[in-house]
Amino acid sequence: MKKVRLIAALLLLLFVSGASAQSQAVFSGHIENKEYGVYIFMDFYHSAVKVPGQEIFGEVAGYLGQTDDSRKWIVVEAEVATPKQALLTMVNDYGSEDLTATLTLEDDGSYTLRQEEGSALKIVRNRKWVKLPKKLSLHRPAR
């Protein structure tokens, strides 16, 4: 009987630690939107991301970049409000524009970046500034 309780307790501990590790990974890693050619590298739990070529910023919570331009939107503050939603404060790499946004993990495994207040997220396409939609869907890249 003691062995059964011990095994049950170990299985419960394993299940709880596995669930905890999975929720930790929600706002850590790389997500992308291929239509707009943008991506987000993030670690909202430890703020341990360095922006390539812009290490002067030190370690930050993350950044939004694009595949064919070096400009970045830096996540200077990230608060994981719920297991599926983070509140973000972002600034462009010049420091001239900022905004607040939410990043939400959807039930289908995709993410939705929703611009709430402040400047519009803009990227460069064909040497022209283009505003990203207020609501942008991102996905983890296929392995």
Side-chain angles (χ1 to χ4, degrees):
M1 187 68 164
K2 287 183 182 180
K3 284 184 181 180
V4 172
R5 286 185 189 165
L6 179 63
I7 291 172
L10 287 174
L11 287 174
L12 181 61
L13 181 65
L14 197 65
F15 175 75
V16 170
S17 64
S20 173
Q22 185 178 3
S23 68
Q24 279 284 329
V26 170
F27 295 112
S28 181
H30 172 224
I31 55 177
E32 63 188 14
N33 176 293
K34 289 186 179 184
E35 179 183 355
Y36 289 94
V38 296
Y39 56 86
I40 295 176
F41 278 99
M42 61 186 163
D43 182 354
F44 297 167
Y45 306 104
H46 303 104
S47 293
V49 176
K50 288 193 177 182
V51 183
Q54 300 178 15
E55 289 81 5
I56 192 164
F57 293 114
E59 293 184 337
V60 296
Y63 63 91
L64 179 141
Q66 61 188 92
T67 54
D68 56 357
D69 191 70
S70 64
R71 293 175 200 131
K72 307 283 188 269
W73 280 86
I74 300 162
V75 180
V76 293
E77 202 172 295
E79 175 191 343
V80 178
T82 70
K84 290 190 170 194
Q85 187 173 63
L87 309 174
L88 312 177
T89 301
M90 301 173 74
V91 63
N92 69 354
D93 53 3
Y94 294 108
S96 61
E97 298 183 73
D98 63 348
L99 62 96
T100 59
T102 57
L103 184 65
T104 306
L105 174 64
E106 304 296 342
D107 292 336
D108 65 358
S110 68
Y111 290 79
T112 301
L113 178 67
R114 183 173 280 113
Q115 300 173 50
E116 302 294 341
E117 294 181 8
S119 304
L121 273 173
K122 292 180 270 186
I123 60 171
V124 174
R125 282 284 181 248
N126 300 321
R127 297 180 292 160
K128 293 183 182 180
W129 288 104
V130 175
K131 290 181 184 179
L132 290 175
K134 293 274 188 191
K135 183 179 170 186
L136 184 68
S137 181
L138 298 112
H139 301 84
R140 292 216 182 253
R143 294 181 185 218

